[in-house]
Amino acid sequence: MADLPFHDKGDFVDADRGFVAKLSPAVIKTADGRVIWDNDSYDFLQGECPDSAHPSLWRQSQLCARQGLYEVAEGIYQVRGLDLSNMTLVEGERGVLVIDPLISTECAAAALKLYRAHRGDRPVTGVVYTHSHVDHFGGVRGVTDGDVPILAPAGFMDHAVAENVYAGPAMTRRAVYMYGFALPRAPEGQIGCGLGLTTSTGTVSLLPPTLDVTRTGQEETVDGIRMVFQLTPGAEAPAEMTFLFPDHRALCLAENATHNQHNVLTLRGATVRDARAWARYLDEALALFADRADVAFASHHWPTWGRDGIVRFLGQQRDLYAYLHDQTVRLLNKGLTGAEIAEVLHLPPELEQSWHARGYYGSLSHNAKAVYQRYLGWFDGNPAHLWEHPPRESALRYVDCLGGGSAVVAFARRYIDENDLRFAAQLLNHAVFADEGNKEARDLLAEVYTRLGHGAENAAWRNFYLMGALELSEGIVPASVETSSFDLLSVLSVEQIFDSLAIRVDGPRAWHERLSIDWHLSDLGERHRTTLSNGALIHQREPADESADLTLRLTKEQLVGLVAGKGVGGVEREGDTAALQRLVAVLDRPAPDFAIVTA
Ligand SMILES: [Zn+2]
């Protein structure tokens, strides 16, 4: 770490280049006055790196904390630092094209206002979503009511919500840890998340695209602005694209290449991404666009200028994901497990010294485990790991073998003295899982997590450790109320709606239930059947007969309302109405505040 090139201020020069104006104060509120973004709360980052932060992460956070309107190229502007992501504005013949309108409508509106204050009151004449993650579309209603072309990669709507729909509550709970939402913003607390500072918490919206980009090489013109697209599904997101503005000689990299090592598997939980495909898309982007661009920008972090800089940046990012993938697979084929690969894998010196390859968001350690998981899954082949006791049961036995809770704490102190905080955390975790009331173990584990957090170069790791410490000391922090906006719910397909119902069936409670319901969706002209048997809710399209116990005639909006618990008002029913009540009676609810650092 001491060898990192701190003297190289190139990123600071690039992050400040083209600066036009700040938002001052950088505080954004909802209509009723709730603060949903406060960049000023991170002003402390401009000071010297304290002992409570890794210098490399501190540097990254200083860069992420810059906010305001920036000129990227003639006619291309970015608003950075007013949400997790960047909003890019490209000036056309009549108005301005907006790329990636942030997470919240309030932030997007503030970003557009800042732009207009300096570039004139141009109407929004088009929108582009680079990919299907919420920080790239959620604020869209803050910049337009629709009535403009909206471009997105093929499959955007399928993935915009679906990626988070089934495991959403667990992901939301884990995201509290990953982003450190409950931590104070302070040198000892939350100092960013590597990809940016944090996520805004305003109103999320979604307008469906009007034009799909379906192939690489596709060209489109909006408001006189020409764009040439490269489709990159399954890299950083299941639906994603990069594109060139040939007349501006500017390249938009979406989120496929940013100034950090990204996640092959995000720690809040997701399906594993394909590092191999990711590397190939970056190589393709290099071949397609590098000679035609003087600047490359992305929807996070700052741009890269000049052909040489772009070629170096994209080439190194490509090599990063290719190396990570290939070396992990090489080592797993020699019999190393994920945890073992994570210990021995090191980046080549050139990448090790490249700030943008460093693990501020993803990390070499957890990405290697993710590649292993993609190919081989959770089991490492060792029968000792096939049928282990779950954490609490294991903990009880370990603590018993080690001579009780106090003895475990004594052992842990020994490892702390030897600076083996990793093993101290393992020991103390057993002590806490065996006995939540062991205050000595709890306090010491909180201390160990805090030290691990303060030493972490990866922002997500830091946040996980510090959140763990916080919840050990203060108990579980209740999640802020999850308000799934109607925009988001209504874009689910009917099949996804029934799937999300099926995963709420409490299996054992439904073992002996048998019932079938036909759902006639009048507005869509579709018939669907759900059948409950053996605790499984099976969905079928266009059933062949009319044998269901109950038939409901309703609109999709009423179906969404019904699933959201708003009742059956206005729904036409025919047959055994008790069938619906019996189905509702076996539905379970997720537990949004489940324990993580205690049993
Ligand atoms: Zn993003």
Side-chain angles (χ1 to χ4, degrees):
M1 191 276 294
D3 298 335
L4 286 174
F6 282 96
H7 59 274
D8 178 0
K9 299 288 181 197
D11 283 334
F12 288 87
V13 173
D14 284 347
D16 289 337
R17 180 166 168 173
F19 173 73
V20 178
K22 273 181 171 29
L23 180 69
S24 188
V27 177
I28 302 169
K29 297 176 184 173
T30 55
D32 55 2
R34 186 168 61 86
V35 174
I36 56 139
W37 184 259
D38 181 0
N39 208 89
D40 296 343
S41 62
Y42 288 99
D43 282 351
F44 66 87
L45 285 167
Q46 298 320 315
E48 286 291 303
C49 178
D51 292 338
S52 55
H54 192 294
S56 172
L57 175 58
W58 188 260
R59 173 191 177 279
Q60 176 78 354
S61 293
Q62 288 188 321
L63 287 159
C64 291
R66 283 157 158 71
Q67 61 90 1
L69 178 69
Y70 296 80
E71 185 184 38
V72 174
E74 201 181 329
I76 300 184
Y77 291 80
Q78 280 192 316
V79 176
R80 303 202 283 265
L82 295 190
D83 205 323
L84 178 67
S85 41
N86 300 334
M87 187 164 112
T88 305
L89 301 115
V90 185
E91 295 175 353
E93 287 167 358
R94 293 178 297 111
V96 66
L97 175 74
V98 173
I99 303 170
D100 286 357
L102 309 179
I103 294 175
S104 307
T105 57
E106 296 86 353
C107 291
L112 182 62
K113 193 173 164 201
L114 177 66
Y115 162 81
R116 282 176 170 161
H118 298 274
R119 296 296 303 165
D121 204 11
R122 294 163 195 266
V124 171
T125 47
V127 173
V128 182
Y129 303 138
T130 61
H131 63 291
S132 51
H133 292 155
V134 66
D135 51 325
H136 304 270
F137 65 77
V140 65
R141 284 187 192 272
V143 299
T144 180
D145 296 325
D147 279 344
V148 296
I150 301 178
L151 281 62
F156 174 87
M157 284 303 268
D158 289 342
H159 296 293
V161 181
E163 210 184 352
N164 301 328
V165 91
Y166 302 130
M171 288 173 172
T172 303
R173 168 73 174 131
R174 292 164 55 131
V176 171
Y177 269 62
M178 177 167 167
Y179 292 98
F181 292 137
L183 298 172
R185 292 172 187 176
E188 307 75 40
Q190 208 269 14
I191 62 169
C193 66
L195 192 63
L197 293 176
T198 185
T199 60
S200 69
T201 53
T203 310
V204 176
S205 63
L206 176 56
L207 291 167
T210 61
L211 197 161
D212 281 355
V213 174
T214 58
R215 61 182 177 85
T216 294
Q218 186 171 334
E219 295 200 27
E220 299 293 341
T221 301
V222 176
D223 193 13
I225 302 162
R226 287 205 299 143
M227 289 169 274
V228 185
F229 293 91
Q230 177 204 16
L231 213 55
T232 67
E236 190 264 335
E240 187 150 8
M241 60 188 186
T242 63
F243 42 106
L244 180 79
F245 295 92
D247 302 323
H248 299 77
R249 294 186 57 82
L251 174 60
C252 174
L253 293 168
E255 198 165 328
N256 289 333
T258 49
H259 286 272
N260 55 204
Q261 181 180 151
H262 213 294
N263 283 302
V264 177
L265 176 56
T266 174
L267 294 179
R268 71 170 163 78
T271 50
V272 184
R273 296 165 188 164
D274 185 350
R276 176 178 162 277
W278 200 328
R280 291 193 172 192
Y281 289 132
L282 291 174
D283 192 52
E284 186 182 53
L286 204 51
L288 288 173
F289 301 134
D291 286 336
R292 302 163 71 188
D294 299 324
V295 61
F297 62 89
S299 292
H300 294 274
H301 301 139
W302 49 95
T304 301
W305 279 273
R307 185 187 178 279
D308 291 352
I310 295 170
V311 169
R312 186 168 55 244
F313 174 62
L314 277 179
Q316 288 172 338
Q317 285 274 307
R318 171 201 61 199
D319 291 350
L320 169 65
Y321 297 109
Y323 190 87
L324 173 64
H325 172 272
D326 296 349
Q327 295 306 308
T328 301
V329 178
R330 177 177 73 86
L331 292 168
L332 71 82
N333 279 327
K334 289 163 84 80
L336 276 74
T337 63
E340 289 165 340
I341 295 167
E343 252 3 74
V344 298
L345 193 60
H346 296 287
L347 287 180
E350 181 184 315
L351 298 182
E352 185 73 20
Q353 293 284 308
S354 300
W355 290 112
H356 65 81
R358 298 204 65 84
Y360 302 118
Y361 195 48
S363 76
L364 204 57
S365 172
H366 73 255
N367 279 342
K369 290 172 184 169
V371 174
Y372 183 96
Q373 181 183 322
R374 184 176 174 91
Y375 285 96
L376 295 178
W378 66 272
F379 181 46
D380 64 4
N382 180 346
H385 302 146
L386 195 52
W387 196 33
E388 285 180 344
H389 283 293
R392 181 170 152 78
E393 294 304 316
S394 287
L396 286 166
R397 288 161 176 78
Y398 274 113
V399 170
D400 180 43
C401 292
L402 290 166
S406 301
V408 174
V409 170
F411 279 124
R413 287 194 196 282
R414 218 171 78 194
Y415 284 93
I416 292 170
D417 289 344
E418 291 165 15
N419 216 22
D420 187 352
L421 299 177
R422 293 167 71 179
F423 192 64
Q426 274 182 276
L427 279 175
L428 292 164
N429 181 57
H430 284 319
V432 171
F433 267 61
D435 174 14
E436 274 184 46
N438 186 341
K439 190 171 180 315
E440 203 188 1
R442 236 178 136 115
D443 290 350
L444 195 57
L445 183 54
E447 209 179 299
V448 168
Y449 281 160
T450 301
R451 283 177 59 185
L452 283 166
H454 288 169
E457 184 180 18
N458 183 285
W461 286 32
R462 176 187 172 98
N463 292 335
F464 265 92
Y465 281 129
L466 297 183
M467 275 300 304
L470 181 78
E471 292 201 337
L472 281 170
S473 314
E474 296 179 12
I476 290 168
V477 180
S480 52
V481 188
E482 173 68 349
T483 48
S484 301
S485 92
F486 195 79
D487 263 4
L488 296 191
L489 274 180
S490 58
V491 304
L492 290 179
S493 70
V494 175
E495 180 159 21
Q496 287 168 339
I497 292 172
F498 288 126
D499 280 352
S500 60
L501 214 52
I503 57 176
R504 283 182 49 206
V505 171
D506 181 331
R509 237 163 65 205
W511 280 351
H512 304 295
E513 277 291 2
R514 268 178 192 276
L515 59 91
S516 57
I517 300 175
D518 278 359
W519 312 74
H520 290 203
L521 293 160
S522 48
D523 52 338
L524 303 178
E526 292 176 9
R527 296 189 312 133
H528 296 260
R529 177 171 298 168
T530 52
T531 307
L532 183 65
S533 58
N534 290 312
L537 187 70
I538 305 299
H539 166 252
Q540 192 187 1
R541 255 190 103 119
E542 302 300 331
D545 54 44
E546 303 271 333
S547 63
D549 302 324
L550 170 66
T551 298
L552 300 173
R553 286 173 221 286
L554 71 180
T555 61
K556 189 177 167 198
E557 190 177 332
Q558 285 173 316
L559 174 64
V560 170
L562 207 153
V563 171
K566 288 187 186 138
V568 287
V571 176
E572 202 186 306
R573 283 158 280 178
E574 190 184 307
D576 176 14
T577 48
L580 185 61
Q581 286 153 13
R582 277 157 52 209
L583 174 60
V584 171
V586 298
L587 292 183
D588 197 6
R589 293 208 156 274
D593 300 331
F594 57 79
I596 292 178
V597 290
T598 53

